[in-house]
Amino acid sequence: MKKKRIMSMLLTGLLIVSLLSACRQKPASSRKVPSKAQEPTASGSSAEETNVQAGEEKGLQPYKEPITVSLFAKVDSTMNFKDGESMGDNLWTRLCKDKLNINVDYKWVVTDDQYNQKMSIAIASKAFADIMNFGASDKNFKLMYDAGYLTDLTSLYDEYASKYTKSLLEADDGTAINGGTFDGNLVGIPNTNASVEQSNVLWIRTDWLERSGKSAPKTMEELYDLAKIFQSADYDGVGTIYGISMDKGSETNAVSSVPGIFTGFGAYPTRWVEKDGKLVYGSTQPENKKALSYLAKLYSEGLIDKEYGVKDGAKVGEDACSGKIGLYIGGHASPLWPLNATVNEKADWTPYPMPSVSGKPPIQIVGSAASSYYVANKDCEHPEALFKLMNLFTKICFSDEGDPLYFITSEEYREPFKLAPVQAWPMTKNIDVYKRIKEYRDTKDESIINANEETRQMFSFCKKYDETGVREGGWDYKRVFDVGGSEAVLSDYLDHGEIQYDRFYGVPTDTMSSKLSSLQKLEAETFSQIIMGASSVDEFDKFVSEWNKLGGSKITDEVNDWAKSK
């Protein structure tokens, strides 16, 4: 039971924070950054290094003499240390010393909620670390570049980033790596994540679907019809059925829980999309009117809760688990939370692709895979160490030569990957687990499962559920990782070219910083009023006009100027 709880914490963390993204990769030559020949070599690139085994890449070679690299660090409540250990002395700092001859020196360590404030103070006082980490939308990142405080890493990237690391950093059509490029200079190296997992999955009560005699909906009309059937049938006998899930969203995005409904109509609220050769704000495009009309119809007929405007995601999850909702618009990790708490033991949930008006799979737009950017300050003696540390992380955690001690939660360490000073994640890590399990299902070759520790552990839960049928025995992991699970749906999205990326992935423009918050509130209020019938859908046209007048037009110009620089 203890091991189950440990693994549950790990998987919930890994899944919900989204550690995957698209597998469609472009070759290095497609990067919109200057080639090595076009850029001067930064300081430190000629550091003496030892001879290594044949075939070992330069970016994994240890320094001949020990060097010290300073960083800043943040910790959270889930992190743990063995007695006598700390951020400055743990299994990862020792690994960096043993494998690379790098001494990791944290200038300060704070909790994650204090990090941005501490970083701002460090910047103001010019008390920089050698390597620093900025959030992808942190304006300090661009300000540091404009002030001339950052090292141009272009040539070092070509020289020191391992082939495997490059394959991870460039896997989202280059948006992550290009987001760290200003004026053709690569100054920020992304910590990549699983942006594909931002896409919606339609979870259907399998037992209800079977009793209805219907197939999973492929069109928006079929989705509506199935919701009506569920509402009238009340298969669990709870009295009030809403059919389709929706929560209140946020103050700046009223439809954050149902982007999949909008994609069904070719609409993309809060995303920047390309139209007629120009970037436009998705929330202002005419396709939204049809999606809003559809949601207004669902609301008026009680197919979404009339009280959704005061319910958060947790409360809507409770409704789904208590038998009030049969069509849950969620993500790949929904079986881990909230659907794992479904009351009816005979109930089951199966994931399906989101439907569309035409019945063809819709395109889903997700954000850049960059969760943050690593930079080297201009006075850093060994900026190439950033790549060495990142290469070590990707090799140890994800390659065939890896060691699960440094990545997988165990009795000794909980989420030990958090202790690594520099990170980058495969955008298809969880999909790869699913693919190994599928291959095993097809071939019965156990070596496929046993070759990867995380896959072996996830499959053990799937197998336990197969053998016992007990929900707590692994139902949640099976519905994510096994054949027919949510990772299979995401894999199909990628394989069929149904994932695209937000076309704006830079730091906020000047007008965004001053105007976007108020514009988002206007958007959220307008969309909510239309859905709840307080305003006509034609109010959308007034919103678009106001949005442009109140700063949206200027933001659009700035976004397109940014795009021209990429």
Side-chain angles (χ1 to χ4, degrees):
M1 190 65 180
K2 184 177 180 181
K3 183 176 181 181
K4 167 71 174 178
R5 289 197 303 270
I6 291 173
M7 287 309 305
S8 179
M9 287 187 292
L10 169 66
L11 262 292
T12 300
L14 293 182
L15 291 167
I16 293 178
V17 299
S18 260
L19 297 172
L20 282 184
S21 193
C23 62
R24 294 175 297 149
Q25 297 181 356
K26 290 186 177 182
S29 60
S30 70
R31 289 185 294 110
K32 295 181 181 179
V33 294
S35 68
K36 178 180 175 182
Q38 293 173 298
E39 294 295 327
T41 301
S43 64
S45 63
S46 61
E48 261 189 275
E49 298 170 347
T50 63
N51 291 324
V52 294
Q53 294 179 354
E56 183 75 292
E57 294 184 82
K58 187 175 183 180
L60 285 164
Q61 296 176 9
Y63 291 94
K64 184 175 181 180
E65 299 294 335
I67 70 164
T68 297
V69 175
S70 62
L71 301 97
F72 302 141
K74 57 184 173 182
V75 296
D76 62 46
S77 60
T78 69
M79 297 171 68
N80 74 317
F81 298 97
K82 294 175 64 176
D83 289 344
E85 292 190 347
S86 64
M87 276 301 294
D89 179 16
N90 56 66
L91 78 171
W92 267 101
T93 59
R94 293 191 293 271
L95 185 69
C96 294
K97 173 63 175 176
D98 293 343
K99 296 294 185 180
L100 298 174
N101 215 4
I102 295 177
N103 294 307
V104 175
D105 174 32
Y106 290 110
K107 294 174 73 73
W108 46 256
V109 179
V110 296
T111 57
D112 50 4
D113 61 328
Q114 298 174 321
Y115 184 82
N116 289 340
Q117 181 181 6
K118 187 74 171 179
M119 177 69 83
S120 295
I121 294 172
I123 292 171
S125 60
K126 299 182 183 178
F128 307 137
D130 292 325
I131 296 172
M132 295 174 286
N133 187 231
F134 292 101
S137 60
D138 189 340
K139 290 203 71 171
N140 285 324
F141 177 22
K142 182 65 161 55
L143 291 174
M144 287 280 287
Y145 168 76
D146 290 338
Y149 291 137
L150 303 183
T151 297
D152 180 0
L153 300 168
T154 307
S155 60
L156 297 181
Y157 177 82
D158 291 330
E159 187 175 1
Y160 283 94
S162 70
K163 291 179 181 179
Y164 182 56
T165 295
K166 287 177 180 176
S167 74
L168 305 187
L169 300 184
E170 299 175 23
D172 66 341
D173 290 352
T175 57
I177 195 74
N178 288 328
T181 304
F182 302 119
D183 303 322
N185 302 312
L186 179 61
V187 294
I189 307 303
N191 180 0
T192 46
N193 62 27
S195 54
V196 66
E197 292 179 351
Q198 298 167 12
S199 56
N200 268 173
V201 173
L202 178 62
W203 291 91
I204 305 180
R205 273 284 297 267
T206 316
D207 51 324
W208 289 11
L209 185 64
E210 291 173 352
R211 293 177 70 175
S212 75
K214 297 292 185 179
S215 300
K218 292 185 178 180
T219 68
M220 302 307 291
E221 182 178 359
E222 290 172 350
L223 180 67
Y224 166 80
D225 290 341
L226 187 59
K228 290 288 286 186
I229 291 172
F230 286 174
Q231 182 189 54
S232 60
D234 185 15
Y235 292 121
D236 281 4
V238 299
T240 303
I241 303 298
Y242 306 125
I244 298 177
S245 66
M246 183 174 180
D247 67 40
K248 65 180 180 179
S250 68
E251 187 180 30
T252 57
N253 186 357
V255 295
S256 60
S257 68
V258 289
I261 293 292
F262 285 80
T263 62
F265 290 91
Y268 303 98
T270 75
R271 300 296 188 187
W272 288 87
V273 298
E274 187 170 352
K275 190 172 186 179
D276 300 326
K278 184 179 179 181
L279 298 190
V280 295
Y281 186 54
S283 298
T284 63
Q285 301 311 297
E287 291 82 3
N288 289 278
K289 290 184 72 173
K290 294 180 179 179
L292 289 168
S293 294
Y294 184 82
L295 286 171
K297 180 180 180 180
L298 296 180
Y299 179 87
S300 68
E301 297 184 16
L303 295 177
I304 55 178
D305 187 0
K306 292 291 183 73
E307 302 298 323
Y308 88 88
V310 296
K311 289 187 175 183
D312 59 16
K315 184 59 180 175
V316 174
E318 290 176 8
D319 288 343
C321 293
S322 65
K324 294 182 178 180
I325 292 171
L327 296 161
Y328 184 82
I329 299 172
H332 70 119
S334 295
L336 280 82
W337 185 88
L339 301 182
N340 60 317
T342 298
V343 174
N344 188 339
E345 283 296 323
K346 295 181 180 180
D348 202 354
W349 295 89
T350 301
Y352 293 92
M354 291 302 303
S356 70
V357 171
S358 67
K360 296 180 180 179
I363 299 297
Q364 301 204 44
I365 296 182
V366 299
S368 164
S371 58
S372 63
Y373 285 92
Y374 295 101
V375 303
N377 92 63
K378 65 181 179 63
D379 295 322
C380 176
E381 184 178 357
H382 294 281
E384 76 286 344
L386 190 164
F387 298 106
K388 289 178 176 265
L389 292 169
M390 184 174 284
N391 294 339
L392 181 64
F393 180 81
T394 61
K395 177 181 178 179
I396 290 295
C397 291
F398 307 119
S399 78
D400 293 338
E401 304 171 67
D403 186 338
L405 170 67
Y406 297 90
F407 176 67
I408 300 289
T409 288
S410 64
E411 298 289 342
E412 190 173 14
Y413 288 101
R414 183 173 61 193
E415 300 179 327
F417 59 85
K418 290 186 175 181
L419 301 176
V422 176
Q423 306 182 19
W425 291 71
M427 301 177 199
T428 56
K429 183 186 73 67
N430 291 332
I431 288 178
D432 291 341
V433 171
Y434 148 70
K435 287 184 174 180
R436 295 184 195 105
I437 291 176
K438 182 180 185 301
E439 187 177 0
Y440 165 76
R441 295 289 194 191
D442 293 338
T443 65
K444 307 303 180 186
D445 181 355
E446 293 188 359
S447 66
I448 297 168
I449 296 294
N450 294 329
N452 180 272
E453 178 63 17
E454 187 178 17
T455 302
R456 188 192 67 77
Q457 292 188 4
M458 295 308 99
F459 180 71
S460 71
F461 292 120
C462 298
K463 185 178 179 181
K464 186 174 181 180
Y465 180 71
D466 291 340
E467 294 172 347
T468 67
V470 177
R471 187 180 296 275
E472 291 186 359
W475 172 86
D476 42 7
Y477 300 119
K478 184 175 178 65
R479 289 295 176 264
V480 173
F481 288 107
D482 213 336
V483 175
S486 57
E487 294 301 333
V489 175
L490 299 189
S491 181
D492 285 345
Y493 285 169
L494 290 176
D495 291 345
H496 300 153
E498 294 155 13
I499 295 292
Q500 292 183 11
Y501 297 90
D502 195 321
R503 299 298 297 146
F504 178 73
Y505 44 86
V507 298
T509 68
D510 290 340
T511 308
M512 276 185 187
S513 297
S514 60
K515 300 287 188 179
L516 186 59
S517 178
S518 60
L519 291 175
Q520 288 175 329
K521 290 179 182 178
L522 172 65
E523 175 185 328
E525 291 169 1
T526 302
F527 282 21
S528 292
Q529 292 295 306
I530 292 173
I531 292 169
M532 292 188 290
S535 298
S536 162
V537 72
D538 291 331
E539 190 71 14
F540 174 80
D541 299 317
K542 180 180 177 182
F543 152 71
V544 173
S545 177
E546 288 296 303
W547 188 88
N548 283 307
K549 289 179 182 178
L550 296 175
S553 181
K554 179 64 174 175
I555 289 174
T556 301
D557 289 341
E558 292 173 350
V559 167
N560 279 276
D561 288 342
W562 166 89
K564 292 175 185 177
S565 72
K566 293 297 175 182

